[in-house]
Amino acid sequence: DIVPSVLARQEKFVDPVTGLERIRWLPRRSPELPRAAHFDYSVSDDAAGFAFGYSPGTVDIRRKVGGNEISETIPIVVIEGMLQVVPPRGGEIQLASMRGLVHMLERYGFRFENIGFDQFQSKESGQVLQSEGYEVNWLSVDRKIDAYMNLKYGIYGNRVLFYDHPVLIRELAKLQLDRKRNKVDHPEFDKDNPSGKGSKDVADCVAGVCQYFADTYTKVREIHMPHEIPFDPDDEEMKAEAINDFLKGL
């Protein structure tokens, strides 16, 4: 069983009601932090994907936008688990079993604050989990480029961390940007994929988890407006620079 051996550990505790010593499962890393997950569904032919992770903290980044300097507080994301589910030959992926991944992880102490789904074949599963008390959102990383741009900059900035998952590495290396449709897609064929087809099932799920944390925890603050830059009124060069910055900001 890979969950307890890799992701979770046992801990003894005293039951506050009975006073008896018991054993419970907890995540090995940051057990106090909530998790977020994302599903990329498929029923037949194509594979499905699943990923989950957590945010252990944030980093502050300063940059200029339109002449203004802003500070962004951006979450760090750790991808804890990834899975590609391939349908059996001549069969279909059982969606109830996919949902069961969340229930299994919760038995080992993982607490989920959000479960994300793509749009395809996911409405019923999302509704089932909602009826069980989970917070659910629908996010298609295919419709806009935002999620993949966020993932790209997170990887380059060492803000998105994950283990060496061969399917994810292969998919990320072969993603293609379709500028006409403003979306990220996979190649039609991939000789390195056993199916011979291109895929981005796991990559979509990782992008979905990262986008959830970005949407939830990113904060943007303006540090100053250009015309508020202090200057010496007797310094003509500084005065001219401040006035030009002010005019650019209009």
Side-chain angles (χ1 to χ4, degrees), residues 25-66:
W25 286 98
L26 290 173
R28 286 188 179 274
R29 299 179 179 85
S30 303
E32 74 285 357
L33 294 179
R35 269 60 177 176
H38 191 89
F39 287 93
D40 182 69
Y41 267 5
S42 173
V43 178
S44 59
D45 194 22
D46 290 333
F50 172 73
F52 73 98
Y54 64 96
S55 177
T58 58
V59 293
D60 290 330
I61 297 176
R62 291 191 178 193
R63 60 190 179 94
K64 287 190 175 182
V65 177

Tab-separated table of all heavy atoms in Angstrom, residues 25-66:
chain	number	residue	atom	x	y	z
A	25	TRP	N	-3.595	7.876	11.460
A	25	TRP	CA	-2.721	8.179	10.335
A	25	TRP	C	-2.666	9.686	10.127
A	25	TRP	O	-3.668	10.383	10.261
A	25	TRP	CB	-3.236	7.512	9.064
A	25	TRP	CG	-3.015	6.035	9.004
A	25	TRP	CD1	-3.919	5.062	9.303
A	25	TRP	CD2	-1.813	5.366	8.624
A	25	TRP	NE1	-3.368	3.815	9.124
A	25	TRP	CE2	-2.058	3.979	8.711
A	25	TRP	CE3	-0.543	5.797	8.224
A	25	TRP	CZ2	-1.103	3.028	8.405
A	25	TRP	CZ3	0.412	4.853	7.911
A	25	TRP	CH2	0.136	3.486	8.003
A	26	LEU	N	-1.481	10.177	9.774
A	26	LEU	CA	-1.287	11.588	9.453
A	26	LEU	C	-0.361	11.707	8.243
A	26	LEU	O	0.509	10.850	8.031
A	26	LEU	CB	-0.647	12.335	10.627
A	26	LEU	CG	-1.501	12.552	11.873
A	26	LEU	CD1	-0.648	13.161	12.979
A	26	LEU	CD2	-2.692	13.437	11.569
A	27	PRO	N	-0.518	12.764	7.438
A	27	PRO	CA	0.449	13.000	6.354
A	27	PRO	C	1.862	13.154	6.919
A	27	PRO	O	2.052	13.726	8.001
A	27	PRO	CB	-0.034	14.316	5.727
A	27	PRO	CG	-1.488	14.381	6.069
A	27	PRO	CD	-1.611	13.751	7.422
A	28	ARG	N	2.836	12.640	6.211
A	28	ARG	CA	4.220	12.750	6.670
A	28	ARG	C	4.688	14.205	6.698
A	28	ARG	O	5.486	14.610	7.545
A	28	ARG	CB	5.145	11.938	5.765
A	28	ARG	CG	5.035	10.432	5.962
A	28	ARG	CD	6.112	9.687	5.194
A	28	ARG	NE	6.003	8.259	5.406
A	28	ARG	CZ	6.551	7.602	6.427
A	28	ARG	NH1	7.236	8.278	7.328
A	28	ARG	NH2	6.407	6.297	6.543
A	29	ARG	N	4.216	14.994	5.735
A	29	ARG	CA	4.645	16.386	5.647
A	29	ARG	C	3.477	17.326	5.939
A	29	ARG	O	2.396	17.159	5.389
A	29	ARG	CB	5.220	16.689	4.260
A	29	ARG	CG	6.449	15.870	3.897
A	29	ARG	CD	6.945	16.218	2.506
A	29	ARG	NE	8.138	15.458	2.145
A	29	ARG	CZ	8.110	14.242	1.618
A	29	ARG	NH1	6.951	13.651	1.394
A	29	ARG	NH2	9.232	13.619	1.318
A	30	SER	N	3.723	18.305	6.793
A	30	SER	CA	2.755	19.369	7.093
A	30	SER	C	1.341	18.826	7.305
A	30	SER	O	0.419	19.197	6.574
A	30	SER	CB	2.762	20.403	5.959
A	30	SER	OG	4.050	20.936	5.763
A	31	PRO	N	1.141	17.956	8.288
A	31	PRO	CA	-0.188	17.373	8.498
A	31	PRO	C	-1.256	18.388	8.872
A	31	PRO	O	-2.444	18.120	8.704
A	31	PRO	CB	0.050	16.374	9.639
A	31	PRO	CG	1.269	16.868	10.341
A	31	PRO	CD	2.131	17.479	9.274
A	32	GLU	N	-0.836	19.558	9.353
A	32	GLU	CA	-1.803	20.565	9.766
A	32	GLU	C	-2.372	21.361	8.594
A	32	GLU	O	-3.383	22.080	8.748
A	32	GLU	CB	-1.147	21.537	10.755
A	32	GLU	CG	-0.177	22.540	10.160
A	32	GLU	CD	1.183	21.952	9.768
A	32	GLU	OE1	1.410	20.751	10.003
A	32	GLU	OE2	2.008	22.704	9.231
A	33	LEU	N	-1.760	21.240	7.414
A	33	LEU	CA	-2.183	22.055	6.276
A	33	LEU	C	-3.227	21.339	5.424
A	33	LEU	O	-3.136	20.137	5.193
A	33	LEU	CB	-0.979	22.400	5.404
A	33	LEU	CG	0.076	23.302	6.055
A	33	LEU	CD1	1.235	23.535	5.085
A	33	LEU	CD2	-0.524	24.636	6.471
A	34	PRO	N	-4.216	22.095	4.925
A	34	PRO	CA	-5.216	21.491	4.038
A	34	PRO	C	-4.640	21.230	2.656
A	34	PRO	O	-3.691	21.887	2.224
A	34	PRO	CB	-6.324	22.547	3.980
A	34	PRO	CG	-5.590	23.847	4.206
A	34	PRO	CD	-4.483	23.523	5.172
A	35	ARG	N	-5.240	20.283	1.962
A	35	ARG	CA	-4.820	19.923	0.608
A	35	ARG	C	-5.854	20.379	-0.420
A	35	ARG	O	-7.016	20.606	-0.091
A	35	ARG	CB	-4.639	18.413	0.489
A	35	ARG	CG	-3.250	17.884	0.786
A	35	ARG	CD	-2.742	18.182	2.161
A	35	ARG	NE	-1.411	17.569	2.357
A	35	ARG	CZ	-0.676	17.731	3.440
A	35	ARG	NH1	-1.118	18.478	4.443
A	35	ARG	NH2	0.513	17.167	3.536
A	36	ALA	N	-5.399	20.465	-1.661
A	36	ALA	CA	-6.280	20.690	-2.805
A	36	ALA	C	-5.968	19.631	-3.849
A	36	ALA	O	-4.817	19.217	-3.993
A	36	ALA	CB	-6.096	22.086	-3.386
A	37	ALA	N	-7.003	19.195	-4.549
A	37	ALA	CA	-6.835	18.155	-5.571
A	37	ALA	C	-7.493	18.598	-6.870
A	37	ALA	O	-8.333	19.508	-6.884
A	37	ALA	CB	-7.440	16.834	-5.099
A	38	HIS	N	-7.102	17.944	-7.954
A	38	HIS	CA	-7.729	18.227	-9.247
A	38	HIS	C	-7.815	16.940	-10.055
A	38	HIS	O	-6.854	16.153	-10.089
A	38	HIS	CB	-6.931	19.270	-10.026
A	38	HIS	CG	-7.658	19.800	-11.229
A	38	HIS	ND1	-8.501	20.901	-11.169
A	38	HIS	CD2	-7.683	19.389	-12.517
A	38	HIS	CE1	-9.003	21.132	-12.367
A	38	HIS	NE2	-8.523	20.209	-13.206
A	39	PHE	N	-8.969	16.731	-10.684
A	39	PHE	CA	-9.215	15.574	-11.543
A	39	PHE	C	-9.308	16.016	-13.000
A	39	PHE	O	-9.885	17.062	-13.317
A	39	PHE	CB	-10.545	14.896	-11.184
A	39	PHE	CG	-10.535	14.114	-9.903
A	39	PHE	CD1	-10.935	14.703	-8.711
A	39	PHE	CD2	-10.130	12.784	-9.881
A	39	PHE	CE1	-10.954	13.974	-7.527
A	39	PHE	CE2	-10.134	12.053	-8.705
A	39	PHE	CZ	-10.549	12.652	-7.514
A	40	ASP	N	-8.756	15.203	-13.874
A	40	ASP	CA	-8.957	15.361	-15.313
A	40	ASP	C	-9.577	14.059	-15.799
A	40	ASP	O	-8.895	13.033	-15.871
A	40	ASP	CB	-7.628	15.637	-16.022
A	40	ASP	CG	-7.806	15.864	-17.512
A	40	ASP	OD1	-8.373	16.900	-17.884
A	40	ASP	OD2	-7.386	15.002	-18.305
A	41	TYR	N	-10.859	14.108	-16.113
A	41	TYR	CA	-11.607	12.881	-16.361
A	41	TYR	C	-11.563	12.426	-17.813
A	41	TYR	O	-11.458	13.216	-18.746
A	41	TYR	CB	-13.071	13.089	-15.976
A	41	TYR	CG	-13.396	12.687	-14.563
A	41	TYR	CD1	-12.411	12.277	-13.675
A	41	TYR	CD2	-14.705	12.705	-14.098
A	41	TYR	CE1	-12.706	11.910	-12.388
A	41	TYR	CE2	-15.024	12.341	-12.803
A	41	TYR	CZ	-14.021	11.936	-11.950
A	41	TYR	OH	-14.324	11.574	-10.674
A	42	SER	N	-11.668	11.120	-17.955
A	42	SER	CA	-11.911	10.473	-19.236
A	42	SER	C	-12.617	9.162	-18.925
A	42	SER	O	-12.415	8.592	-17.852
A	42	SER	CB	-10.607	10.194	-19.980
A	42	SER	OG	-10.855	9.433	-21.143
A	43	VAL	N	-13.445	8.726	-19.819
A	43	VAL	CA	-14.160	7.476	-19.583
A	43	VAL	C	-13.512	6.335	-20.355
A	43	VAL	O	-13.174	5.284	-19.816
A	43	VAL	CB	-15.654	7.601	-19.971
A	43	VAL	CG1	-16.369	6.264	-19.769
A	43	VAL	CG2	-16.326	8.679	-19.141
A	44	SER	N	-13.335	6.519	-21.638
A	44	SER	CA	-12.734	5.460	-22.463
A	44	SER	C	-11.691	6.077	-23.375
A	44	SER	O	-11.651	7.289	-23.579
A	44	SER	CB	-13.815	4.762	-23.290
A	44	SER	OG	-14.476	5.692	-24.131
A	45	ASP	N	-10.844	5.226	-23.917
A	45	ASP	CA	-9.817	5.614	-24.884
A	45	ASP	C	-8.707	6.433	-24.221
A	45	ASP	O	-7.589	5.954	-24.059
A	45	ASP	CB	-10.428	6.375	-26.054
A	45	ASP	CG	-9.449	6.480	-27.218
A	45	ASP	OD1	-8.534	5.643	-27.280
A	45	ASP	OD2	-9.610	7.384	-28.047
A	46	ASP	N	-8.983	7.684	-23.836
A	46	ASP	CA	-7.958	8.516	-23.232
A	46	ASP	C	-7.788	8.192	-21.751
A	46	ASP	O	-8.694	7.697	-21.086
A	46	ASP	CB	-8.314	9.995	-23.376
A	46	ASP	CG	-8.217	10.461	-24.815
A	46	ASP	OD1	-7.429	9.867	-25.567
A	46	ASP	OD2	-8.930	11.411	-25.180
A	47	ALA	N	-6.613	8.521	-21.223
A	47	ALA	CA	-6.339	8.325	-19.803
A	47	ALA	C	-6.945	9.470	-18.997
A	47	ALA	O	-7.248	10.543	-19.519
A	47	ALA	CB	-4.841	8.242	-19.559
A	48	ALA	N	-7.116	9.238	-17.708
A	48	ALA	CA	-7.561	10.267	-16.777
A	48	ALA	C	-6.393	10.639	-15.874
A	48	ALA	O	-5.387	9.920	-15.796
A	48	ALA	CB	-8.743	9.765	-15.948
A	49	GLY	N	-6.512	11.765	-15.190
A	49	GLY	CA	-5.435	12.219	-14.324
A	49	GLY	C	-5.939	12.664	-12.970
A	49	GLY	O	-7.120	12.993	-12.801
A	50	PHE	N	-5.020	12.669	-12.002
A	50	PHE	CA	-5.331	13.117	-10.643
A	50	PHE	C	-4.048	13.656	-10.024
A	50	PHE	O	-2.960	13.100	-10.227
A	50	PHE	CB	-5.859	11.956	-9.807
A	50	PHE	CG	-6.035	12.278	-8.333
A	50	PHE	CD1	-7.069	13.102	-7.915
A	50	PHE	CD2	-5.171	11.751	-7.391
A	50	PHE	CE1	-7.236	13.402	-6.572
A	50	PHE	CE2	-5.336	12.036	-6.039
A	50	PHE	CZ	-6.369	12.865	-5.624
A	51	ALA	N	-4.169	14.760	-9.284
A	51	ALA	CA	-3.030	15.304	-8.552
A	51	ALA	C	-3.542	16.020	-7.316
A	51	ALA	O	-4.672	16.522	-7.298
A	51	ALA	CB	-2.218	16.267	-9.422
A	52	PHE	N	-2.716	16.045	-6.282
A	52	PHE	CA	-3.082	16.821	-5.084
A	52	PHE	C	-1.816	17.374	-4.447
A	52	PHE	O	-0.704	16.884	-4.674
A	52	PHE	CB	-3.884	15.974	-4.098
A	52	PHE	CG	-3.081	14.937	-3.355
A	52	PHE	CD1	-2.607	15.176	-2.073
A	52	PHE	CD2	-2.804	13.708	-3.945
A	52	PHE	CE1	-1.878	14.213	-1.394
A	52	PHE	CE2	-2.068	12.741	-3.265
A	52	PHE	CZ	-1.607	12.995	-1.984
A	53	GLY	N	-1.988	18.417	-3.648
A	53	GLY	CA	-0.843	19.041	-3.004
A	53	GLY	C	-1.281	20.052	-1.976
A	53	GLY	O	-2.459	20.173	-1.642
A	54	TYR	N	-0.300	20.810	-1.483
A	54	TYR	CA	-0.582	21.801	-0.440
A	54	TYR	C	0.357	22.992	-0.619
A	54	TYR	O	1.327	22.943	-1.385
A	54	TYR	CB	-0.409	21.196	0.947
A	54	TYR	CG	0.999	20.751	1.281
A	54	TYR	CD1	1.869	21.575	1.998
A	54	TYR	CD2	1.471	19.504	0.881
A	54	TYR	CE1	3.163	21.162	2.300
A	54	TYR	CE2	2.762	19.082	1.180
A	54	TYR	CZ	3.604	19.919	1.893
A	54	TYR	OH	4.877	19.511	2.188
A	55	SER	N	0.053	24.062	0.096
A	55	SER	CA	0.887	25.255	0.057
A	55	SER	C	1.503	25.479	1.434
A	55	SER	O	0.795	25.815	2.381
A	55	SER	CB	0.064	26.487	-0.349
A	55	SER	OG	0.877	27.658	-0.312
A	56	PRO	N	2.832	25.305	1.556
A	56	PRO	CA	3.485	25.460	2.856
A	56	PRO	C	3.816	26.900	3.213
A	56	PRO	O	4.291	27.171	4.318
A	56	PRO	CB	4.772	24.648	2.684
A	56	PRO	CG	5.096	24.796	1.239
A	56	PRO	CD	3.765	24.836	0.522
A	57	GLY	N	3.595	27.835	2.307
A	57	GLY	CA	3.919	29.226	2.594
A	57	GLY	C	3.854	30.069	1.339
A	57	GLY	O	3.360	29.629	0.292
A	58	THR	N	4.346	31.283	1.433
A	58	THR	CA	4.302	32.215	0.309
A	58	THR	C	5.653	32.902	0.147
A	58	THR	O	6.502	32.874	1.045
A	58	THR	CB	3.226	33.304	0.521
A	58	THR	OG1	3.510	34.011	1.743
A	58	THR	CG2	1.836	32.697	0.585
A	59	VAL	N	5.839	33.522	-1.005
A	59	VAL	CA	7.012	34.357	-1.251
A	59	VAL	C	6.519	35.704	-1.771
A	59	VAL	O	5.473	35.794	-2.406
A	59	VAL	CB	7.977	33.717	-2.275
A	59	VAL	CG1	8.597	32.466	-1.709
A	59	VAL	CG2	7.258	33.409	-3.589
A	60	ASP	N	7.278	36.751	-1.489
A	60	ASP	CA	6.954	38.094	-1.963
A	60	ASP	C	7.821	38.437	-3.164
A	60	ASP	O	9.039	38.260	-3.134
A	60	ASP	CB	7.171	39.132	-0.861
A	60	ASP	CG	6.142	39.009	0.251
A	60	ASP	OD1	5.012	38.584	-0.050
A	60	ASP	OD2	6.459	39.334	1.413
A	61	ILE	N	7.175	38.901	-4.202
A	61	ILE	CA	7.870	39.261	-5.439
A	61	ILE	C	7.500	40.693	-5.802
A	61	ILE	O	6.323	41.071	-5.753
A	61	ILE	CB	7.480	38.309	-6.585
A	61	ILE	CG1	7.925	36.884	-6.262
A	61	ILE	CG2	8.092	38.769	-7.910
A	61	ILE	CD1	7.497	35.874	-7.292
A	62	ARG	N	8.504	41.473	-6.174
A	62	ARG	CA	8.258	42.839	-6.623
A	62	ARG	C	8.486	42.931	-8.126
A	62	ARG	O	9.436	42.369	-8.646
A	62	ARG	CB	9.177	43.829	-5.900
A	62	ARG	CG	8.862	43.992	-4.425
A	62	ARG	CD	9.614	45.164	-3.848
A	62	ARG	NE	9.284	45.373	-2.452
A	62	ARG	CZ	9.594	46.471	-1.768
A	62	ARG	NH1	10.250	47.452	-2.372
A	62	ARG	NH2	9.269	46.582	-0.495
A	63	ARG	N	7.598	43.665	-8.780
A	63	ARG	CA	7.783	43.882	-10.213
A	63	ARG	C	7.069	45.157	-10.613
A	63	ARG	O	6.263	45.699	-9.848
A	63	ARG	CB	7.259	42.692	-11.029
A	63	ARG	CG	5.787	42.379	-10.863
A	63	ARG	CD	5.450	41.045	-11.507
A	63	ARG	NE	4.049	40.689	-11.361
A	63	ARG	CZ	3.119	40.945	-12.269
A	63	ARG	NH1	3.443	41.564	-13.394
A	63	ARG	NH2	1.864	40.575	-12.079
A	64	LYS	N	7.355	45.642	-11.816
A	64	LYS	CA	6.734	46.861	-12.317
A	64	LYS	C	5.652	46.532	-13.329
A	64	LYS	O	5.845	45.701	-14.212
A	64	LYS	CB	7.785	47.771	-12.950
A	64	LYS	CG	8.681	48.449	-11.922
A	64	LYS	CD	9.540	49.524	-12.554
A	64	LYS	CE	10.345	50.267	-11.490
A	64	LYS	NZ	11.156	51.357	-12.088
A	65	VAL	N	4.520	47.190	-13.180
A	65	VAL	CA	3.401	47.020	-14.104
A	65	VAL	C	2.914	48.414	-14.499
A	65	VAL	O	2.425	49.164	-13.657
A	65	VAL	CB	2.246	46.218	-13.461
A	65	VAL	CG1	1.067	46.135	-14.429
A	65	VAL	CG2	2.714	44.835	-13.063
A	66	GLY	N	3.063	48.748	-15.772
A	66	GLY	CA	2.599	50.047	-16.238
A	66	GLY	C	3.246	51.215	-15.532
A	66	GLY	O	2.623	52.248	-15.320
